[in-house]
């Protein structure tokens, strides 16, 4: 990965009047560059940040949401001037997301969302940004002896899915996530009614789905003190419907009218767990075409190119997926190829 600073440039794309911004690699910034491209494609975040009156913010240089607001605004501008992503990188560095260090994209993404909650003085607006990704769930534990149930409501900001070490699919990963698990032997849980540890069944139910669904494919495994990467094949569709894919993941009273989602960004990891590189595929808001961003380099792409990140025989593997909930009009369109 390049570490030299090069001025950001404006890259016109064939058949696209306004183009996309490439982001130079600055002190091993490919992870953050990729997330910025993904957040830029998630235009709802930029629209909400544009509503933030940040005139009274102190310590601007370390305020992550303020620097994010500025860099996202610059990325969508047609003016051929440098994008201030270096200021955003230094703001992260001042908040312990260090420069010159390789980071995990999912961890940095969640950290950025946390900084938005902590550092924005407009708390209702910060909550609106969080709610873009908020997945409400109910964890339940059923005692297999007395049949009593303990429940706990919580929320997630990304859906972290276990990946099998052979061929898998997004549907298979999600089915495994919501499948009931039996806890027996040393995994028995304490039952208040039985007043002892008993065999139990544990499960998760979806209470609500967000406008933007972030999926994290857990491709890194710890084994004997070392971290290795799974390059196995994991397929995912361009469009999917939760209500058709996960019929057992919802409570009986769940409103399943808004369960159809379309992919708009893919964070891609290449290389190994200890030494890798991040790039991104993003879908343009206006023409719905796919583009590939690799630091400063931006080029047109296709759904076929995105499919090559499934893994298996290819080095570049999808690591995070961003799906946008379809509008009711979009929900009536025919299924996209996938």
């Amino acid at each position: 990965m390049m570490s030299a600073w090069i001025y950001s440039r404006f890259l016109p794309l064939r058949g696209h009047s306004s183009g996309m911004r490439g982001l130079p690699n600055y002190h091993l910034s490919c992870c953050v560059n990729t997330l910025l491209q993904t957040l830029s494609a998630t235009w709802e975040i930029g629209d909400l940040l544009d509503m933030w009156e940040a005139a009274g913010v102190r310590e601007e240089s370390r305020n992550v949401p303020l620097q994010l607001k500025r860099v996202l605004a610059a990325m969508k501008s047609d003016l051929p001037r440098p994008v201030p992503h270096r200021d955003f990188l230094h703001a992260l560095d001042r908040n312990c997301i260090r420069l010159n260090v390789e980071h995990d994209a999912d961890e940095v993404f969640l950290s950025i969302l946390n900084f938005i909650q902590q550092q924005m003085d407009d708390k209702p607006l910060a909550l609106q940004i969080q709610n873009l990704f908020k997945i409400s769930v109910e964890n339940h534990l059923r005692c297999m002896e007395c049949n009593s149930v303990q429940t706990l409501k919580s929320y997630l900001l990304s859906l972290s899915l276990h990946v099998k070490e052979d061929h898998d699919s997004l549907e298979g990963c999600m089915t495994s996530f919501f499948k009931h698990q039996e806890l027996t032997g040393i995994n028995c849980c304490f039952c208040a009614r039985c007043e002892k540890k008993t065999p139990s069944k544990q499960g998760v139910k979806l209470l609500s789905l967000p406008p933007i669904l972030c999926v994290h494919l857990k491709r890194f495994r710890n084994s004997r003190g070392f971290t290795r990467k799974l390059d196995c094949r994991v397929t995912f569709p361009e469009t999917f419907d939760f209500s058709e894919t996960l019929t057992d993941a919802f409570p009986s009273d769940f409103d399943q009218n808004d369960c159809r989602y379309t992919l708009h960004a893919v964070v891609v990891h290449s290389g190994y767990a200890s030494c890798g590189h991040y790039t991104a595929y993003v879908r343009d808001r206006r023409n719905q075409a796919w583009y590939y961003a690799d630091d400063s380099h931006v080029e047109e792409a296709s759904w076929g190119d995105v499919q090559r990140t499934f893994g298996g025989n290819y080095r570049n593997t999808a690591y995070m997926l961003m799906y946008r909930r379809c509008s009711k009009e979009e929900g009536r369109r025919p299924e996209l190829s996938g």
Side-chain angles (χ1 to χ4, degrees), residues 39 45 49 64-65 68 111-123 125-127 129-130:
L39 294 173
I45 296 176
L49 285 172
V64 171
L68 179 62
S111 294
I112 291 171
L113 293 183
N114 285 332
F115 293 142
I116 289 173
Q117 295 302 303
Q118 296 166 6
Q119 298 177 358
M120 280 185 69
D121 53 6
D122 188 336
K123 297 305 179 185
L125 197 59
L127 184 59
I129 295 174
Q130 184 184 74

PDB file of all heavy atoms in Angstrom, residues 39 45 49 64-65 68 111-123 125-127 129-130:
ATOM      1  N   LEU A  39     -19.489   5.415   2.746  1.00  0.00           N
ATOM      2  CA  LEU A  39     -20.356   6.391   3.405  1.00  0.00           C
ATOM      3  C   LEU A  39     -20.857   7.443   2.422  1.00  0.00           C
ATOM      4  O   LEU A  39     -21.983   7.935   2.546  1.00  0.00           O
ATOM      5  CB  LEU A  39     -19.605   7.056   4.563  1.00  0.00           C
ATOM      6  CG  LEU A  39     -19.239   6.133   5.728  1.00  0.00           C
ATOM      7  CD1 LEU A  39     -18.343   6.864   6.729  1.00  0.00           C
ATOM      8  CD2 LEU A  39     -20.484   5.607   6.425  1.00  0.00           C
ATOM      9  N   ILE A  45     -26.440   9.707   5.061  1.00  0.00           N
ATOM     10  CA  ILE A  45     -25.568  10.236   6.118  1.00  0.00           C
ATOM     11  C   ILE A  45     -25.143  11.664   5.787  1.00  0.00           C
ATOM     12  O   ILE A  45     -25.231  12.567   6.632  1.00  0.00           O
ATOM     13  CB  ILE A  45     -24.324   9.345   6.296  1.00  0.00           C
ATOM     14  CG1 ILE A  45     -24.725   7.950   6.762  1.00  0.00           C
ATOM     15  CG2 ILE A  45     -23.351   9.962   7.295  1.00  0.00           C
ATOM     16  CD1 ILE A  45     -23.561   6.999   6.870  1.00  0.00           C
ATOM     17  N   LEU A  49     -25.890  15.107   7.880  1.00  0.00           N
ATOM     18  CA  LEU A  49     -24.791  15.940   8.368  1.00  0.00           C
ATOM     19  C   LEU A  49     -24.879  17.360   7.793  1.00  0.00           C
ATOM     20  O   LEU A  49     -24.491  18.328   8.460  1.00  0.00           O
ATOM     21  CB  LEU A  49     -23.445  15.306   8.015  1.00  0.00           C
ATOM     22  CG  LEU A  49     -23.034  14.087   8.852  1.00  0.00           C
ATOM     23  CD1 LEU A  49     -21.776  13.444   8.275  1.00  0.00           C
ATOM     24  CD2 LEU A  49     -22.819  14.463  10.313  1.00  0.00           C
ATOM     25  N   VAL A  64     -14.673  14.188  14.881  1.00  0.00           N
ATOM     26  CA  VAL A  64     -14.834  13.256  13.759  1.00  0.00           C
ATOM     27  C   VAL A  64     -16.069  13.580  12.915  1.00  0.00           C
ATOM     28  O   VAL A  64     -15.973  13.637  11.682  1.00  0.00           O
ATOM     29  CB  VAL A  64     -14.858  11.803  14.267  1.00  0.00           C
ATOM     30  CG1 VAL A  64     -15.237  10.836  13.142  1.00  0.00           C
ATOM     31  CG2 VAL A  64     -13.492  11.430  14.857  1.00  0.00           C
ATOM     32  N   PRO A  65     -17.270  13.781  13.509  1.00  0.00           N
ATOM     33  CA  PRO A  65     -18.433  14.075  12.649  1.00  0.00           C
ATOM     34  C   PRO A  65     -18.296  15.370  11.862  1.00  0.00           C
ATOM     35  O   PRO A  65     -18.770  15.450  10.722  1.00  0.00           O
ATOM     36  CB  PRO A  65     -19.606  14.131  13.636  1.00  0.00           C
ATOM     37  CG  PRO A  65     -18.997  14.301  14.980  1.00  0.00           C
ATOM     38  CD  PRO A  65     -17.668  13.627  14.912  1.00  0.00           C
ATOM     39  N   LEU A  68     -16.047  14.583   9.030  1.00  0.00           N
ATOM     40  CA  LEU A  68     -16.780  13.709   8.107  1.00  0.00           C
ATOM     41  C   LEU A  68     -17.763  14.528   7.271  1.00  0.00           C
ATOM     42  O   LEU A  68     -17.892  14.306   6.059  1.00  0.00           O
ATOM     43  CB  LEU A  68     -17.526  12.628   8.888  1.00  0.00           C
ATOM     44  CG  LEU A  68     -18.358  11.643   8.054  1.00  0.00           C
ATOM     45  CD1 LEU A  68     -17.469  10.845   7.100  1.00  0.00           C
ATOM     46  CD2 LEU A  68     -19.139  10.694   8.969  1.00  0.00           C
ATOM     47  N   SER A 111     -16.708   2.516  15.079  1.00  0.00           N
ATOM     48  CA  SER A 111     -16.105   3.610  15.845  1.00  0.00           C
ATOM     49  C   SER A 111     -16.576   4.960  15.322  1.00  0.00           C
ATOM     50  O   SER A 111     -16.874   5.874  16.108  1.00  0.00           O
ATOM     51  CB  SER A 111     -14.571   3.526  15.763  1.00  0.00           C
ATOM     52  OG  SER A 111     -14.093   2.367  16.417  1.00  0.00           O
ATOM     53  N   ILE A 112     -16.670   5.101  13.993  1.00  0.00           N
ATOM     54  CA  ILE A 112     -17.139   6.360  13.415  1.00  0.00           C
ATOM     55  C   ILE A 112     -18.563   6.653  13.868  1.00  0.00           C
ATOM     56  O   ILE A 112     -18.899   7.789  14.242  1.00  0.00           O
ATOM     57  CB  ILE A 112     -17.049   6.312  11.875  1.00  0.00           C
ATOM     58  CG1 ILE A 112     -15.580   6.319  11.442  1.00  0.00           C
ATOM     59  CG2 ILE A 112     -17.790   7.496  11.243  1.00  0.00           C
ATOM     60  CD1 ILE A 112     -15.369   6.067   9.957  1.00  0.00           C
ATOM     61  N   LEU A 113     -19.434   5.635  13.860  1.00  0.00           N
ATOM     62  CA  LEU A 113     -20.808   5.833  14.331  1.00  0.00           C
ATOM     63  C   LEU A 113     -20.831   6.225  15.809  1.00  0.00           C
ATOM     64  O   LEU A 113     -21.641   7.068  16.219  1.00  0.00           O
ATOM     65  CB  LEU A 113     -21.634   4.558  14.110  1.00  0.00           C
ATOM     66  CG  LEU A 113     -21.913   4.167  12.654  1.00  0.00           C
ATOM     67  CD1 LEU A 113     -22.809   2.937  12.608  1.00  0.00           C
ATOM     68  CD2 LEU A 113     -22.547   5.317  11.877  1.00  0.00           C
ATOM     69  N   ASN A 114     -19.946   5.640  16.599  1.00  0.00           N
ATOM     70  CA  ASN A 114     -19.879   6.011  18.025  1.00  0.00           C
ATOM     71  C   ASN A 114     -19.389   7.446  18.211  1.00  0.00           C
ATOM     72  O   ASN A 114     -19.904   8.178  19.067  1.00  0.00           O
ATOM     73  CB  ASN A 114     -18.965   5.038  18.772  1.00  0.00           C
ATOM     74  CG  ASN A 114     -19.609   3.681  19.004  1.00  0.00           C
ATOM     75  OD1 ASN A 114     -20.829   3.581  19.089  1.00  0.00           O
ATOM     76  ND2 ASN A 114     -18.801   2.644  19.080  1.00  0.00           N
ATOM     77  N   PHE A 115     -18.400   7.859  17.425  1.00  0.00           N
ATOM     78  CA  PHE A 115     -17.913   9.241  17.516  1.00  0.00           C
ATOM     79  C   PHE A 115     -19.011  10.237  17.151  1.00  0.00           C
ATOM     80  O   PHE A 115     -19.093  11.322  17.734  1.00  0.00           O
ATOM     81  CB  PHE A 115     -16.697   9.445  16.610  1.00  0.00           C
ATOM     82  CG  PHE A 115     -15.475   8.684  17.037  1.00  0.00           C
ATOM     83  CD1 PHE A 115     -14.630   8.110  16.095  1.00  0.00           C
ATOM     84  CD2 PHE A 115     -15.152   8.539  18.378  1.00  0.00           C
ATOM     85  CE1 PHE A 115     -13.498   7.407  16.477  1.00  0.00           C
ATOM     86  CE2 PHE A 115     -14.025   7.840  18.782  1.00  0.00           C
ATOM     87  CZ  PHE A 115     -13.200   7.268  17.824  1.00  0.00           C
ATOM     88  N   ILE A 116     -19.835   9.885  16.186  1.00  0.00           N
ATOM     89  CA  ILE A 116     -20.955  10.755  15.808  1.00  0.00           C
ATOM     90  C   ILE A 116     -21.883  10.954  17.006  1.00  0.00           C
ATOM     91  O   ILE A 116     -22.318  12.075  17.305  1.00  0.00           O
ATOM     92  CB  ILE A 116     -21.710  10.166  14.602  1.00  0.00           C
ATOM     93  CG1 ILE A 116     -20.856  10.290  13.331  1.00  0.00           C
ATOM     94  CG2 ILE A 116     -23.055  10.870  14.406  1.00  0.00           C
ATOM     95  CD1 ILE A 116     -21.440   9.591  12.122  1.00  0.00           C
ATOM     96  N   GLN A 117     -22.178   9.879  17.735  1.00  0.00           N
ATOM     97  CA  GLN A 117     -23.049   9.981  18.910  1.00  0.00           C
ATOM     98  C   GLN A 117     -22.397  10.801  20.018  1.00  0.00           C
ATOM     99  O   GLN A 117     -23.054  11.588  20.699  1.00  0.00           O
ATOM    100  CB  GLN A 117     -23.392   8.582  19.433  1.00  0.00           C
ATOM    101  CG  GLN A 117     -24.207   7.733  18.481  1.00  0.00           C
ATOM    102  CD  GLN A 117     -25.517   8.399  18.123  1.00  0.00           C
ATOM    103  OE1 GLN A 117     -26.317   8.718  18.998  1.00  0.00           O
ATOM    104  NE2 GLN A 117     -25.745   8.628  16.840  1.00  0.00           N
ATOM    105  N   GLN A 118     -21.107  10.641  20.208  1.00  0.00           N
ATOM    106  CA  GLN A 118     -20.409  11.283  21.319  1.00  0.00           C
ATOM    107  C   GLN A 118     -20.080  12.748  21.042  1.00  0.00           C
ATOM    108  O   GLN A 118     -20.110  13.573  21.963  1.00  0.00           O
ATOM    109  CB  GLN A 118     -19.107  10.528  21.608  1.00  0.00           C
ATOM    110  CG  GLN A 118     -19.309   9.096  22.093  1.00  0.00           C
ATOM    111  CD  GLN A 118     -18.028   8.286  22.029  1.00  0.00           C
ATOM    112  OE1 GLN A 118     -16.954   8.807  21.733  1.00  0.00           O
ATOM    113  NE2 GLN A 118     -18.128   6.989  22.302  1.00  0.00           N
ATOM    114  N   GLN A 119     -19.772  13.101  19.792  1.00  0.00           N
ATOM    115  CA  GLN A 119     -19.179  14.403  19.506  1.00  0.00           C
ATOM    116  C   GLN A 119     -20.108  15.382  18.804  1.00  0.00           C
ATOM    117  O   GLN A 119     -19.754  16.557  18.677  1.00  0.00           O
ATOM    118  CB  GLN A 119     -17.905  14.199  18.668  1.00  0.00           C
ATOM    119  CG  GLN A 119     -16.838  13.388  19.397  1.00  0.00           C
ATOM    120  CD  GLN A 119     -15.603  13.127  18.550  1.00  0.00           C
ATOM    121  OE1 GLN A 119     -15.526  13.516  17.385  1.00  0.00           O
ATOM    122  NE2 GLN A 119     -14.622  12.446  19.135  1.00  0.00           N
ATOM    123  N   MET A 120     -21.265  14.961  18.352  1.00  0.00           N
ATOM    124  CA  MET A 120     -22.217  15.902  17.776  1.00  0.00           C
ATOM    125  C   MET A 120     -23.005  16.568  18.892  1.00  0.00           C
ATOM    126  O   MET A 120     -23.508  15.883  19.801  1.00  0.00           O
ATOM    127  CB  MET A 120     -23.182  15.194  16.809  1.00  0.00           C
ATOM    128  CG  MET A 120     -22.599  14.929  15.444  1.00  0.00           C
ATOM    129  SD  MET A 120     -23.811  14.227  14.282  1.00  0.00           S
ATOM    130  CE  MET A 120     -24.919  15.625  14.044  1.00  0.00           C
ATOM    131  N   ASP A 121     -23.129  17.899  18.845  1.00  0.00           N
ATOM    132  CA  ASP A 121     -23.897  18.590  19.874  1.00  0.00           C
ATOM    133  C   ASP A 121     -25.398  18.566  19.581  1.00  0.00           C
ATOM    134  O   ASP A 121     -26.198  18.849  20.470  1.00  0.00           O
ATOM    135  CB  ASP A 121     -23.406  20.035  20.031  1.00  0.00           C
ATOM    136  CG  ASP A 121     -23.369  20.795  18.719  1.00  0.00           C
ATOM    137  OD1 ASP A 121     -23.833  20.247  17.697  1.00  0.00           O
ATOM    138  OD2 ASP A 121     -22.858  21.928  18.703  1.00  0.00           O
ATOM    139  N   ASP A 122     -25.779  18.215  18.361  1.00  0.00           N
ATOM    140  CA  ASP A 122     -27.185  18.054  18.001  1.00  0.00           C
ATOM    141  C   ASP A 122     -27.549  16.582  18.201  1.00  0.00           C
ATOM    142  O   ASP A 122     -27.444  15.761  17.279  1.00  0.00           O
ATOM    143  CB  ASP A 122     -27.415  18.491  16.555  1.00  0.00           C
ATOM    144  CG  ASP A 122     -28.889  18.540  16.175  1.00  0.00           C
ATOM    145  OD1 ASP A 122     -29.689  17.833  16.810  1.00  0.00           O
ATOM    146  OD2 ASP A 122     -29.231  19.290  15.233  1.00  0.00           O
ATOM    147  N   LYS A 123     -27.956  16.217  19.415  1.00  0.00           N
ATOM    148  CA  LYS A 123     -28.198  14.813  19.751  1.00  0.00           C
ATOM    149  C   LYS A 123     -29.360  14.200  18.966  1.00  0.00           C
ATOM    150  O   LYS A 123     -29.268  13.030  18.555  1.00  0.00           O
ATOM    151  CB  LYS A 123     -28.424  14.666  21.258  1.00  0.00           C
ATOM    152  CG  LYS A 123     -27.210  15.063  22.100  1.00  0.00           C
ATOM    153  CD  LYS A 123     -25.953  14.300  21.677  1.00  0.00           C
ATOM    154  CE  LYS A 123     -24.733  14.698  22.495  1.00  0.00           C
ATOM    155  NZ  LYS A 123     -23.492  14.047  22.005  1.00  0.00           N
ATOM    156  N   LEU A 125     -30.245  14.832  15.914  1.00  0.00           N
ATOM    157  CA  LEU A 125     -29.735  14.557  14.574  1.00  0.00           C
ATOM    158  C   LEU A 125     -28.749  13.392  14.604  1.00  0.00           C
ATOM    159  O   LEU A 125     -28.743  12.540  13.699  1.00  0.00           O
ATOM    160  CB  LEU A 125     -29.058  15.808  14.013  1.00  0.00           C
ATOM    161  CG  LEU A 125     -28.826  15.845  12.499  1.00  0.00           C
ATOM    162  CD1 LEU A 125     -30.146  15.713  11.746  1.00  0.00           C
ATOM    163  CD2 LEU A 125     -28.121  17.140  12.107  1.00  0.00           C
ATOM    164  N   ALA A 126     -27.921  13.337  15.646  1.00  0.00           N
ATOM    165  CA  ALA A 126     -26.997  12.210  15.799  1.00  0.00           C
ATOM    166  C   ALA A 126     -27.762  10.904  15.922  1.00  0.00           C
ATOM    167  O   ALA A 126     -27.356   9.874  15.371  1.00  0.00           O
ATOM    168  CB  ALA A 126     -26.107  12.424  17.024  1.00  0.00           C
ATOM    169  N   LEU A 127     -28.899  10.945  16.625  1.00  0.00           N
ATOM    170  CA  LEU A 127     -29.722   9.745  16.775  1.00  0.00           C
ATOM    171  C   LEU A 127     -30.324   9.332  15.437  1.00  0.00           C
ATOM    172  O   LEU A 127     -30.442   8.126  15.146  1.00  0.00           O
ATOM    173  CB  LEU A 127     -30.821   9.988  17.800  1.00  0.00           C
ATOM    174  CG  LEU A 127     -31.717   8.786  18.133  1.00  0.00           C
ATOM    175  CD1 LEU A 127     -30.891   7.629  18.679  1.00  0.00           C
ATOM    176  CD2 LEU A 127     -32.795   9.193  19.133  1.00  0.00           C
ATOM    177  N   ILE A 129     -28.919   9.635  12.563  1.00  0.00           N
ATOM    178  CA  ILE A 129     -27.850   8.949  11.826  1.00  0.00           C
ATOM    179  C   ILE A 129     -27.687   7.529  12.343  1.00  0.00           C
ATOM    180  O   ILE A 129     -27.567   6.570  11.569  1.00  0.00           O
ATOM    181  CB  ILE A 129     -26.532   9.737  11.947  1.00  0.00           C
ATOM    182  CG1 ILE A 129     -26.670  11.093  11.249  1.00  0.00           C
ATOM    183  CG2 ILE A 129     -25.368   8.940  11.365  1.00  0.00           C
ATOM    184  CD1 ILE A 129     -25.478  12.007  11.422  1.00  0.00           C
ATOM    185  N   GLN A 130     -27.707   7.365  13.667  1.00  0.00           N
ATOM    186  CA  GLN A 130     -27.604   6.021  14.236  1.00  0.00           C
ATOM    187  C   GLN A 130     -28.773   5.148  13.799  1.00  0.00           C
ATOM    188  O   GLN A 130     -28.603   3.962  13.480  1.00  0.00           O
ATOM    189  CB  GLN A 130     -27.557   6.089  15.760  1.00  0.00           C
ATOM    190  CG  GLN A 130     -27.352   4.721  16.416  1.00  0.00           C
ATOM    191  CD  GLN A 130     -27.413   4.800  17.931  1.00  0.00           C
ATOM    192  OE1 GLN A 130     -28.472   4.944  18.502  1.00  0.00           O
ATOM    193  NE2 GLN A 130     -26.239   4.719  18.568  1.00  0.00           N
TER     194      GLN A 130
END
